[in-house]
Amino acid sequence: MFGNYLIGLREGLEASLVVCILIAYLVKTDNKSRLTPVWTGVAIAVALSLAFGALLQFGSSTLTFQAQEILGGTLSILSVGLVTWMVFWMRRTARHLKSELQDKLDAALALGSGALVITALFAVGREGLETSLFIWTAVQASGDGLRPLVGALLGLATSVVLGWLFYKGTLRIDLAEFFRWTGAMLVLVAAGVLAYGIHDLQEGDILPGLRNVAFDISDTIPADSWYGTLLKGVFNFQPDPTVIQVIVWLLYLVPVMATFLAPARDRSSATAPQPASQPSAE
């Protein structure tokens, strides 16, 4: 449940910040009359995200067991790729997100209301589709459709409240650090979803080694115990993973986490100073 809460909080806060920036900029530039197209784009993005989630849930229920496993494994791997790209993208652009959105909004204002709808739709819709896909795969991995969904909804609700507080100016935090550490947690959650996706593909006879178990600690950490359920809900922990699952989990988690937590290079420091004996360009 905590893992899905984190997903809802992280993705929802990104979308909330985008909406806050768009609305605040329109208000600041005396374009309150253009708020309706922005809210229209946001509403369409939310509706598309909900429809996408419903399509995944109800569409997969009509498939055979093997087809469900293949679909679930493929979408799990896809969602891990999207989330990995998202956390690195936000780590790189968190400090410049406001100026980038304002530049796009200036261009949309010059083109008309339709461009404002499309700008808001794409800005929020990307987050919504990623959230729907990742939450769906996380729910499938946990095997419990209620608690993960409740956790995700609570995370989204929290993000809406935080977005409103940001807009009112009553809450100020270091967003770069926030996205850095929540991103690290999401990488850990994504590693578990990836391992689950590999297991699905093994059950769908796409990958071999389903019976080749790396270790089995079910007696130490029973799957139906409270701590087993907690580990399963947060990290998609499996007490009897296959060898391929463990290998893929390590091959993803170690390099991705190390790269994500590595200090960002400062472009200004990367430029070597000119020797004092050389004449200045001026």
Side-chain angles (χ1 to χ4, degrees), residues 12-278:
L13 186 58
E14 288 185 28
S16 297
L17 289 175
V18 168
V19 174
C20 288
I21 291 171
L22 295 178
I23 293 176
Y25 188 66
L26 288 177
V27 172
K28 183 178 179 180
T29 56
D30 294 328
N31 284 292
K32 292 183 179 180
S33 60
R34 314 296 290 274
L35 288 175
T36 300
V38 171
W39 283 117
T40 301
V42 172
I44 295 174
V46 172
L48 289 176
S49 301
L50 293 175
F52 181 58
L55 178 63
L56 290 174
Q57 180 62 33
F58 296 109
S60 62
S61 63
T62 62
L63 302 175
T64 63
F65 173 78
Q66 184 177 14
Q68 286 182 1
E69 297 303 300
I70 295 174
L71 177 64
T74 303
L75 291 181
S76 294
I77 295 173
L78 176 61
S79 67
V80 169
L82 289 174
V83 168
T84 304
W85 172 85
M86 178 269 297
V87 295
F88 277 97
W89 176 82
M90 181 54 70
R91 178 176 180 263
R92 184 179 66 254
T93 61
R95 292 187 175 90
H96 312 291
L97 180 62
K98 182 177 180 180
S99 60
E100 290 181 3
L101 285 174
Q102 289 176 349
D103 290 340
K104 293 179 180 178
L105 199 56
D106 283 334
L109 283 169
L111 293 175
S113 299
L116 287 174
V117 173
I118 295 175
T119 300
L121 172 61
F122 279 97
V124 179
R126 180 179 61 84
E127 307 296 342
L129 293 177
E130 287 179 359
T131 303
S132 296
L133 178 58
F134 201 62
I135 288 177
W136 183 82
T137 54
V139 168
Q140 301 303 310
S142 66
D144 183 359
L146 180 60
R147 283 181 293 183
L149 185 58
V150 171
L153 291 175
L154 289 175
L156 290 172
T158 304
S159 69
V160 171
V161 174
L162 290 177
W164 183 79
L165 292 176
F166 280 129
Y167 178 76
K168 291 297 184 180
T170 57
L171 181 62
R172 296 182 181 275
I173 63 174
D174 189 337
L175 290 177
E177 285 299 308
F178 174 83
F179 286 122
R180 174 181 172 85
W181 293 111
T182 55
M185 286 294 298
L186 272 185
V187 169
L188 190 58
V189 173
V193 173
L194 179 60
Y196 169 79
I198 295 299
H199 188 268
D200 267 359
L201 293 180
Q202 289 179 307
E203 289 189 328
D205 294 330
I206 298 298
L207 295 177
L210 181 61
R211 307 301 176 189
N212 191 9
V213 178
F215 55 84
D216 189 349
I217 55 174
S218 301
D219 294 336
T220 304
I221 306 178
D224 56 352
S225 63
W226 69 267
Y227 45 92
T229 303
L230 179 64
L231 290 173
K232 177 73 172 177
V234 177
F235 304 114
N236 292 294
F237 171 78
Q238 183 178 340
D240 55 345
T242 64
V243 173
I244 296 180
Q245 280 184 279
V246 174
I247 292 175
V248 170
W249 187 84
L250 290 173
L251 287 177
Y252 171 82
L253 181 64
V254 175
V256 172
M257 186 68 80
T259 304
F260 182 75
L261 293 179
R265 294 184 60 184
D266 189 355
R267 291 182 180 179
S268 61
S269 62
T271 304
Q274 293 184 349
S277 59
Q278 293 182 356

